[in-house]
Amino acid sequence: MSTHISTDSAAHAATASAAQASPMIEVQGLNKWYGDFHVLRDIDLGVGRGERIVICGPSGSGKSTLIRCLNHLEEHQQGRIEVDGVTMTQDVKRIEQIRRNVGMVFQHFNLFPHLSVLENCCIAQTWVQKRPRREAEATAMEYLERVRIADQALKYPGQLSGGQQQRVAIARALCMKPEVMLFDEPTSALDPEMIKEVLDVMVELAQDGMTMLCVTHEMGFAKTVADRVIFMDQGQIIEQAPPETFFNHPESERTQLFLSQILGH
Amino acid sequence: MSERIDPPANPPVNPPSEGHLVPRAVATRTEMLDPRPAPDMRHGVVGWLRTRLFNGPVNSVVSLVVLAVLVWGLTPLVQWALIDADWIGTTRDACSGEGACWVFISARFETIVYGFYPDAARFRVDITLALLAALIAWLVIPRLPAKPWVGAFALVGFPIIAYVLLLGGHFGLAYVPTREWGGLMLTLTVATVGIVGSLPLGVILALGRRSKMPLVKSLSVVFIEFWRGVPLITVLFMASVMLPLFVPDEVEFDKLLRALIGIMFFWSAYMAEVVRGGLQAIPKGQEEAAKALGLGYWRRMGLIVLPQALKLVIPGIVNTFIALFKDTSLVLIIGLFDLLAIIRSGLTDTNWLGFATEGYVFAALMFWVFCFSMSRYSQVLERKLHRGH
């Protein structure tokens, strides 16, 4: 099931030291409940600048919920989240400040269907960052070219394939020039032929030094690009380690079971 | 066990052999098929008739029967309304009695359009109506420039101009009290104010009802359920008769103003539920993506969610507008003479007794023209906004 990605993988050893510098994201004692269901349990996590993290685990383990807490798409009941020095509170201003700095790519793309590709990328720049139209469009075209979809700029999302839409979604998030990018199973809704084109874009992004947290089942991507792989189950972080250690010498039995299932076919 | 096949030009996968299909174990297509045009389909009117109306013995008979019924039913109507009708004249003598006597309408046309508006000041109504028509035309006809500016003027500038022109009292224009307004101009005034006021108010109420803030939500729910729960007639009646009881004597609320406010609040409650249906239909992911990009609440709603939601419920919104337009007739209950009431009042005119049919047919036709125009435009709008999603 994992897709082989051919690229030079020089990067992750060098940036492993990034975690020691001032952390980009700090999560301490994070707990979240959906009603009575304890979905995130005592999560502690630190993410350094430029660090690439892959979060994996079975369904319902809370991995999507965790990253959605980081930009307040989900509200947590206990614990502390700090992104780029800003602590997350209930204050809307704080939340929006964090959101301006954190880009997110969703499993189902969530492009705005009533706007063209170019307008999708410009709308937040114009209305949140107050950039003039021309500047916003220039930035948008730059990122659309980076994800290799500039020729579709005037089309509407309904006219694009899944892989193309996801690449537009990545460009849209990048246009805000965030410090952190969150990916919530970005390739899970794509068929195999399109997965590669999206993963290639993500690998390039990683190699350019973007801090990334990626929830995915694409273990090939994890091996190539991740500085750290985190395994979650039942709302807790079971194990985290650099890919070589994680895939070759997993410590926990639960991790071993999961890996045997996911890598077995 | 696989069979080696030398590939011919277009190898069939299941070639028939001895009368039954024998699937081959391995088959490979070497050349892709080019797209071919579809088989000859019937085009044009004749084709449509063949396919839809006369595509079989039973259907053909049914079509002929329906056609016969239509002819049988409509001929007398056409005969009465158009062929035998009297169009020209000024008094009742011009009516021959055979068909419809539209002279009744044409003789009273000025009253029908202007109500009791004084003759000398009628040009002001003409200007206002012409301006309204021009604004609507500018906004509706495609490819005309500066629509946002025209729209803004229509919402802000035009009401002020209309208010000054119709009511008068300033700039040397004679004051015309609202009880002298009537007929088509009154219907259009009430309908336009109701339509233009109820949509934004309805949107705010819908958003309020979906809000997580308890006070906002409760107020919205109470407002919607109250105004939705009482009939419009009682709203108008209460506004006309009961409101003065609650307000100190010095404060005098113009009757028309009371009706306008009542109608606007009443229909905004309906509109709120229509819009709320549309809001519910928008996937949560849209709002999440907008949140993730840092868009605040009003920007999210105004730029992302509402454009999609409103487009979705155009049928429901236009439905509400049409109902609003027709229900303007109810202002009769508070003594205002709208289009229908003016026509009815003409029926009691001793010069023109006995032309009730012509009166009501004309009133129905007028309402139908306005309502159908709204309906047609909504379809045009839907088609224009359809962008492949």
Side-chain angles (χ1 to χ4, degrees):
Chain A
M1 191 187 149
S2 60
T3 309
H4 173 65
I5 303 165
S6 55
T7 177
D8 42 296
S9 49
H12 47 248
T15 54
S17 59
Q20 282 88 38
S22 68
M24 189 73 217
I25 299 178
E26 237 191 287
V27 176
Q28 284 174 354
L30 184 67
N31 279 285
K32 180 179 168 57
W33 287 262
Y34 278 133
D36 283 334
F37 177 54
H38 197 175
V39 58
L40 291 176
R41 310 180 194 183
D42 294 333
I43 303 277
D44 290 307
L45 179 63
V47 179
R49 242 161 252 285
E51 207 180 342
R52 285 81 46 103
I53 298 199
V54 165
I55 305 177
C56 61
S59 309
S61 54
K63 19 185 229 299
S64 289
T65 314
L66 173 58
I67 66 166
R68 286 157 66 89
C69 282
L70 296 179
N71 68 352
H72 206 262
L73 286 185
E74 301 284 353
E75 225 173 275
H76 61 278
Q77 282 81 33
Q78 273 178 24
R80 193 173 134 264
I81 298 179
E82 202 180 287
V83 178
D84 201 9
V86 181
T87 312
M88 189 173 296
T89 60
Q90 298 281 41
D91 180 25
V92 170
K93 290 270 181 286
R94 283 279 184 93
I95 294 172
E96 286 181 9
Q97 189 184 359
I98 290 178
R99 283 180 181 161
R100 280 195 286 275
N101 223 0
V102 175
M104 186 153 185
V105 176
F106 298 86
Q107 181 176 353
H108 296 290
F109 332 135
N110 290 339
L111 291 180
F112 306 132
H114 61 300
L115 302 174
S116 70
V117 162
L118 187 62
E119 284 163 359
N120 260 275
C121 294
C122 287
I123 193 164
Q125 295 183 69
T126 342
W127 289 94
V128 177
Q129 292 168 335
K130 314 279 201 283
R131 290 190 204 145
R133 178 89 194 163
R134 208 160 291 172
E135 197 190 312
E137 284 186 5
T139 313
M141 287 309 291
E142 183 197 319
Y143 284 108
L144 288 173
E145 266 163 38
R146 221 170 122 180
V147 303
R148 289 185 287 278
I149 205 159
D151 52 330
Q152 313 282 349
L154 296 177
K155 289 217 174 135
Y156 284 86
Q159 300 168 295
L160 302 178
S161 73
Q164 292 172 318
Q165 287 188 53
Q166 193 62 297
R167 286 186 280 147
V168 171
I170 295 175
R172 177 179 69 173
L174 290 175
C175 282
M176 298 296 286
K177 308 224 171 90
E179 298 278 346
V180 181
M181 283 285 278
L182 303 175
F183 292 86
D184 187 1
E185 303 207 36
T187 57
S188 297
L190 300 173
D191 34 292
E193 285 178 5
M194 296 182 201
I195 291 180
K196 182 176 186 313
E197 67 189 49
V198 172
L199 286 178
D200 284 345
V201 167
M202 288 166 66
V203 167
E204 274 178 37
L205 197 57
Q207 286 171 340
D208 289 338
M210 173 69 76
T211 314
M212 289 164 69
L213 276 97
C214 188
V215 173
T216 184
H217 300 297
E218 296 292 328
M219 293 301 129
F221 175 75
K223 283 182 193 164
T224 315
V225 141
D227 297 316
R228 217 191 322 164
V229 182
I230 294 179
F231 174 66
M232 279 182 72
D233 191 16
Q234 291 181 19
Q236 302 151 66
I237 295 181
I238 307 291
E239 191 167 339
Q240 44 182 320
E244 309 85 53
T245 323
F246 183 86
F247 288 110
N248 298 325
H249 317 288
E251 281 182 18
S252 153
E253 237 179 77
R254 187 69 194 83
T255 318
Q256 291 166 13
L257 179 62
F258 175 74
L259 284 175
S260 70
Q261 288 169 343
I262 201 169
L263 296 174
H265 57 298
Chain B
M1 186 181 122
S2 63
E3 203 188 320
R4 173 73 196 268
I5 299 175
D6 291 327
N10 281 314
V13 179
N14 286 326
S17 135
E18 295 170 16
H20 55 268
L21 295 173
V22 176
R24 299 198 169 191
V26 173
T28 317
R29 185 173 287 287
T30 50
E31 274 175 32
M32 295 298 287
L33 294 171
D34 287 324
R36 290 191 302 270
D40 183 35
M41 294 196 295
R42 305 286 172 78
H43 290 294
V45 177
V46 176
W48 182 84
L49 282 174
R50 279 238 186 90
T51 334
R52 299 287 178 201
L53 295 184
F54 298 104
N55 59 350
V58 176
N59 281 347
S60 303
V61 169
V62 170
S63 298
L64 287 173
V65 167
V66 170
L67 211 59
V69 168
L70 280 175
V71 168
W72 174 76
L74 285 181
T75 313
L77 179 65
V78 172
Q79 190 85 17
W80 174 84
L82 296 175
I83 302 177
D84 290 338
D86 306 299
W87 300 86
I88 310 171
T90 44
T91 66
R92 200 202 161 110
D93 308 321
C95 294
S96 60
E98 280 167 19
C101 188
W102 300 117
V103 182
F104 169 59
I105 302 295
S106 56
R108 298 183 54 81
F109 196 70
E110 294 232 328
T111 317
I112 289 175
V113 174
Y114 300 104
F116 310 114
Y117 215 85
D119 280 4
R122 282 186 179 165
F123 73 95
R124 285 150 56 178
V125 179
D126 293 335
I127 296 176
T128 314
L129 290 179
L131 192 54
L132 180 65
L135 284 173
I136 292 177
W138 193 283
L139 290 172
V140 160
I141 296 175
R143 282 191 289 273
L144 288 175
K147 287 204 180 178
W149 292 109
V150 174
F153 173 72
L155 285 175
V156 178
F158 174 73
I160 300 176
I161 293 179
Y163 178 81
V164 168
L165 274 177
L166 290 176
L167 201 55
H170 304 279
F171 305 118
L173 296 170
Y175 175 69
V176 180
T178 56
R179 77 183 101 87
E180 289 179 21
W181 299 15
L184 183 62
M185 62 99 30
L186 180 65
T187 297
L188 288 178
T189 306
V190 176
T192 309
V193 171
I195 285 174
V196 169
S198 65
L199 182 56
L201 188 54
V203 169
I204 301 283
L205 286 167
L207 291 176
R209 189 163 185 165
R210 278 168 63 87
S211 162
K212 290 203 194 75
M213 294 186 274
L215 186 62
V216 171
K217 183 170 175 158
S218 321
L219 284 175
S220 304
V221 169
V222 164
F223 187 98
I224 292 172
E225 295 305 335
F226 172 75
W227 289 100
R228 246 193 343 171
V230 289
L232 183 55
I233 274 192
T234 49
V235 167
L236 293 171
F237 180 71
M238 284 197 293
S240 150
V241 169
M242 290 177 65
L243 188 64
L245 298 175
F246 293 104
V247 176
D249 281 339
E250 309 88 53
V251 180
E252 209 220 86
F253 262 107
D254 182 278
K255 210 161 43 161
L256 178 60
L257 183 62
R258 287 181 238 157
L260 290 175
I261 293 178
I263 286 176
M264 194 164 69
F265 282 2
F266 179 86
W267 287 106
S268 67
Y270 277 76
M271 195 63 78
E273 290 298 284
V274 171
V275 171
R276 191 168 71 91
L279 290 172
Q280 278 176 179
I282 303 300
K284 205 157 163 273
Q286 289 293 301
E287 241 199 287
E288 288 182 353
K291 280 184 190 175
L293 286 171
L295 289 165
Y297 177 79
W298 290 106
R299 303 244 159 92
R300 278 205 300 275
M301 288 303 151
L303 295 170
I304 307 296
V305 178
L306 278 174
Q308 295 182 61
L310 291 178
K311 176 196 169 246
L312 208 61
V313 291
I314 285 176
I317 291 177
V318 173
N319 213 34
T320 310
F321 284 169
I322 288 176
L324 194 163
F325 192 94
K326 294 188 294 181
D327 273 6
T328 56
S329 311
L330 292 174
V331 296
L332 175 62
I333 210 86
I334 54 173
L336 290 169
F337 283 81
D338 79 306
L339 174 66
L340 185 61
I342 282 275
I343 290 176
R344 289 184 75 219
S345 76
L347 297 176
T348 57
D349 184 348
T350 45
N351 292 327
W352 290 100
L353 289 173
F355 293 108
T357 323
E358 282 85 342
Y360 286 118
V361 168
F362 178 73
L365 183 66
M366 287 301 298
F367 276 103
W368 187 84
V369 164
F370 281 101
C371 294
F372 185 67
S373 307
M374 286 194 268
S375 172
R376 276 306 299 171
Y377 177 62
S378 87
Q379 287 164 22
V380 166
L381 194 61
E382 280 195 89
R383 222 174 299 138
K384 191 176 91 142
L385 293 176
H386 185 70
R387 290 206 197 87
H389 63 275

